[in-house]
Structures are given as C-alpha cells and as structure tokens.
Amino acid sequence: MATAKPTFEEQLAQLQQIVNHLEQGNVPLEEALQQFQEGIKLSRELQTKLTNAEKTLGHLIDDNGDEKVYEKQTDDPSNNGGGNRGFGSSDEQ
C-alpha cells in the first residue's frame, strides 16, 4: 500500500524541527550531518513546490476561459509622477 506524500506544511514543520535541533548545538557530529542532509533535501523539495505553485498561480483564466499569463505590476513609466514626487525630485521645497 502506497503512503501519502507529506504536505508542504508537514515538510516545513519537519525542516523547522531539524533546524531547531541543530541550533541547540549538542548534537553528535554524525547525527548532525545526517540531519543537515535531510534538511537540505527537504529545503529543495519545498522550493520546488513553491516554484510550481508560483507557476500555477501565474496563469489566470479570463471570462472566456482563455488562459493568460499573469504579469507583476511594475512602476508605470507612463505615469509621469503627476503629483507623486519621490526622493530626488527636482522641485523639492
């Protein structure tokens, strides 16, 4: 019988336990190395899950059911600053 893969949250909790245990500083070297390796493995798996989730969330479905790629909003260069003068503006008082 196949066992269910741990959830993101379960893996994150496991990684936190490893970090806390290693931070105590009284772990034998062999055990510390084994836990460090397990932590690296968990960290990579969690990063992969986050990257995949970001890719999934980066695709939006419009009203017609068409998929669109989400683009992060950046500063709008067409907004000539109209009244929102930031640091270093030439008309500082």
Side-chain angles (χ1 to χ4, degrees), residues 21-92:
H21 190 241
L22 291 174
E23 284 180 341
Q24 292 177 359
N26 57 353
V27 181
L29 179 61
E30 292 80 12
E31 182 181 343
L33 287 173
Q34 183 273 328
Q35 287 194 351
F36 179 79
Q37 289 173 339
E38 180 65 21
I40 294 295
K41 179 183 170 191
L42 283 167
S43 175
R44 288 181 179 151
E45 289 175 8
L46 290 167
Q47 183 61 49
T48 298
K49 286 182 178 184
L50 284 174
T51 300
N52 290 337
E54 186 177 63
K55 287 178 185 177
T56 299
L57 292 174
H59 292 266
L60 303 175
I61 306 297
D62 66 13
D63 293 337
N64 298 325
D66 297 325
E67 186 176 293
K68 291 187 174 186
V69 176
Y70 172 77
E71 295 179 19
K72 289 183 180 179
Q73 292 183 356
T74 58
D75 291 339
D76 183 4
S78 66
N79 181 5
N80 296 321
N84 185 10
R85 305 273 185 220
F87 177 76
S89 62
S90 60
D91 58 349
E92 290 182 11

Side-chain angles (χ1 to χ4, degrees), residues 4-19:
K5 283 189 165 190
T7 66
F8 179 87
E9 291 77 10
E10 291 168 339
Q11 286 182 307
L12 184 58
Q14 185 179 0
L15 179 58
Q16 289 171 334
Q17 287 177 336
I18 289 171
V19 170

